[in-house]
Amino acid sequence: MDSSLPGLVSVLDTDLYKLTMQQAVLRYFPDAVVSYKFTNRTPSTRFSRKCYDAFTRAVSKFPEVTLTQDERTWLASTCPYLAPDYLEYLAGFKYDLSQLRVDFIPSSDDPEWGALDIEAVGPWRDAIMWEVPLLAVLSEAYFATIDTDWNYDGTLERAYEKGKTLITGGVAFSEFGTRRRRSLKAHDLVVEGLVKAQKDFGTGDGAGMLSGTSNVYLAKKHSIKPVGTIAHEWFMGVAASKGYANSHNVALQYWEELYSRKLLVALTDTFSTQAFFKEFSSNKTRVEHWSALRQDSGDPFAFAPVAQEMYKSLGIDHRTKRIIYSDGLTIDLALRLKKQCDELGFLSAFGIGTNFSNDFDKASNPTEKSAPLNIVIKIASIDGKPCIKISDVLTKNTGDPETVRHAKEVFGLPVNAQ
């Protein structure tokens, strides 16, 4: 593989929820300063100096990329919820390398191999843009310099077959694979294959269909809808800044004020789905307004029955609501979850990421998978206050332990599950 990388080809080569959240940050937290930190969830995976060098060379060119007039015009037409003043801000946005620190930490046994320490610190309104392209470019650097036992053979065709299976199976789905893609070229081929499957098998009835892609650049390139709403980062930042009591409703209220009846998909698991439903269900009017719930951790088959009970307890017809699943989905899992939602009466949709954008076999042995990286960048603090996440697996938490303990006390969760 060629170790030279395309880097960042467009400001829009990111996920839509970064733009929607950036607009919200500009409205409600224009002066907040945040930090983001990188985590490699597979510590046995090491990075080489060659990978580090390729990655940092690509990142050094990020500031050269700015929003073009053509992109701005397209955004204004395609995403009317992005206000003119926000688009003006985005047009002036440039990546600021002074916000970013990327260190290579060599291993004691071999200085050519080691770990990466990545941190971004700056105004939330700007630093929010680092996460997605950094992860995408790092993944591409890894598979261009370290794991090179793969090729592009069959990438488009594989995506096409997956799209065909989902569409003919009545599944509404979106492509969510930017952060962990094998490469920009792979991502582009995947979206091309999915679009072709939609053209060949979509009936236009809204049941089985490709709803769009979270990647704004590829949505524009392939003339499909950019999709996305809100991420854990929003809830984490709002709660750390404003306090954990009633923080779900505070975060949702800000969002609803800004977007009215648009983009009202509630992400449920930032501080556990249990805590979310407890707060969310305290405001029937809000539950009526929000059109969908997004399930992103825990047992996906346990989610719909609990959501059904929540809606029933408020006298709301759950059959008018949608569940969007987005946690580690495969094609088979999406089909099985669709069947459960049909049986319970929920509308459903699916955001499929890594299984689309980083599903490759080893070139030397096509019966063996070439495993994707499992890397994340999370918001770590806001104005000096630590940001945390409490998983639906209550023993798996992210962030400062004392803040986790405090939040669990506020939310009525088992404090000893640290």
Side-chain angles (χ1 to χ4, degrees):
M1 292 290 171
D2 184 357
S3 61
S4 63
L5 306 177
L8 187 63
V9 298
S10 167
V11 168
L12 299 187
D13 187 13
T14 190
D15 288 330
L16 179 64
Y17 66 32
K18 283 296 178 176
L19 306 188
T20 56
M21 289 192 298
Q22 186 181 43
Q23 179 170 247
V25 168
L26 281 163
R27 166 74 73 88
Y28 297 107
F29 299 91
D31 300 317
V33 175
V34 300
S35 67
Y36 293 83
K37 292 186 177 180
F38 168 78
T39 300
N40 175 14
R41 288 177 167 171
T42 310
S44 60
T45 297
R46 298 197 299 177
F47 297 93
S48 66
R49 284 190 183 274
K50 184 178 180 182
C51 176
Y52 166 77
D53 289 342
F55 173 59
T56 52
R57 280 197 304 271
V59 171
S60 71
K61 298 178 181 178
F62 277 23
E64 300 173 11
V65 180
T66 56
L67 190 74
T68 68
Q69 183 57 52
D70 178 58
E71 289 171 336
R72 181 175 177 174
T73 300
W74 178 82
L75 276 176
S77 172
T78 306
C79 307
Y81 44 81
L82 298 178
D85 61 341
Y86 168 69
L87 294 180
E88 181 70 19
Y89 187 87
L90 187 62
F93 169 79
K94 285 187 177 182
Y95 283 93
D96 181 354
L97 292 175
S98 71
Q99 298 174 355
L100 185 66
R101 177 180 58 80
V102 183
D103 294 329
F104 180 77
I105 304 171
S107 299
S108 57
D109 61 330
D110 186 346
E112 292 303 307
W113 291 85
L116 296 182
D117 184 14
I118 303 173
E119 183 179 43
V121 179
W124 196 6
R125 62 182 184 268
D126 294 332
I128 194 171
M129 296 291 279
W130 282 111
E131 175 196 353
V132 174
L134 283 178
L135 291 171
V137 172
L138 178 55
S139 180
E140 183 154 4
Y142 179 87
F143 288 105
T145 62
I146 297 175
D147 182 353
T148 60
D149 186 14
W150 61 278
N151 56 50
Y152 290 104
D153 294 352
T155 300
L156 186 150
E157 293 80 8
R158 183 182 293 114
Y160 178 82
E161 288 301 318
K162 289 179 179 180
K164 173 185 175 182
T165 299
L166 292 167
I167 293 165
T168 57
V171 177
F173 67 97
S174 299
E175 188 283 317
F176 271 22
T178 305
R179 293 178 303 156
R180 295 179 187 166
R181 67 192 183 196
R182 181 71 43 131
S183 67
L184 174 59
K185 178 180 177 180
H187 199 181
D188 192 16
L189 288 169
V190 164
V191 174
E192 181 182 346
L194 296 175
V195 169
K196 186 174 187 300
Q198 174 64 28
K199 288 178 180 177
D200 289 350
F201 300 101
T203 60
D205 60 7
M209 64 177 295
L210 170 65
S211 302
T213 174
S214 64
N215 186 283
V216 189
Y217 168 74
L218 292 176
K220 181 179 184 298
K221 179 176 181 179
H222 292 279
S223 300
I224 59 176
K225 184 179 178 182
V227 294
T229 52
I230 192 170
H232 299 107
E233 173 182 355
W234 178 248
F235 294 91
M236 293 166 71
V238 170
S241 178
K242 300 298 183 180
Y244 288 89
N246 202 40
S247 59
H248 295 98
N249 279 328
V250 172
L252 294 173
Q253 180 62 31
Y254 284 152
W255 199 263
E256 194 169 344
E257 287 175 355
L258 181 58
Y259 290 109
S260 185
R261 296 298 180 90
K262 306 178 189 72
L263 307 182
L264 298 189
V265 177
L267 181 58
T268 61
D269 69 323
T270 308
F271 306 118
S272 81
T273 298
Q274 176 183 332
F276 176 85
F277 278 147
K278 183 178 180 180
E279 280 190 23
F280 187 53
S281 62
S282 69
N283 188 325
K284 180 178 179 180
T285 300
R286 173 159 297 125
V287 177
E288 289 174 331
H289 286 176
W290 285 67
S291 61
L293 303 172
R294 180 152 77 90
Q295 190 275 341
D296 197 54
S297 68
D299 179 359
F301 291 98
F303 185 83
V306 174
Q308 182 184 39
E309 286 304 311
M310 186 270 296
Y311 284 120
K312 280 186 175 181
S313 72
L314 297 174
I316 296 173
D317 186 356
H318 72 281
R319 294 171 297 180
T320 65
K321 303 297 183 180
R322 187 179 305 274
I323 297 177
I324 299 174
Y325 296 88
S326 59
D327 180 28
L329 294 176
T330 63
I331 306 308
D332 177 67
L333 180 56
L335 290 167
R336 290 189 289 127
L337 287 166
K338 165 71 162 56
K339 182 175 184 293
Q340 183 196 44
C341 282
D342 288 349
E343 291 170 350
L344 292 176
F346 275 109
L347 303 171
S348 63
F350 301 83
I352 302 176
T354 308
N355 189 257
F356 277 152
S357 67
N358 207 330
D359 182 15
F360 285 81
D361 302 322
K362 291 187 175 182
S364 62
N365 182 6
T367 64
E368 187 177 350
K369 284 295 183 182
S370 173
L373 292 177
N374 190 356
I375 53 178
V376 296
I377 292 175
K378 295 288 187 184
I379 187 170
S381 69
I382 179 168
D383 294 331
K385 300 174 183 176
C387 295
I388 64 162
K389 185 175 182 295
I390 300 173
S391 171
D392 274 335
V393 181
L394 292 179
T395 55
K396 295 181 180 179
N397 309 302
T398 301
D400 175 61
E402 286 305 311
T403 305
V404 170
R405 174 179 287 273
H406 166 69
K408 285 185 173 183
E409 290 175 346
V410 171
F411 294 131
L413 300 171
V415 174
N416 60 350
Q418 293 290 333

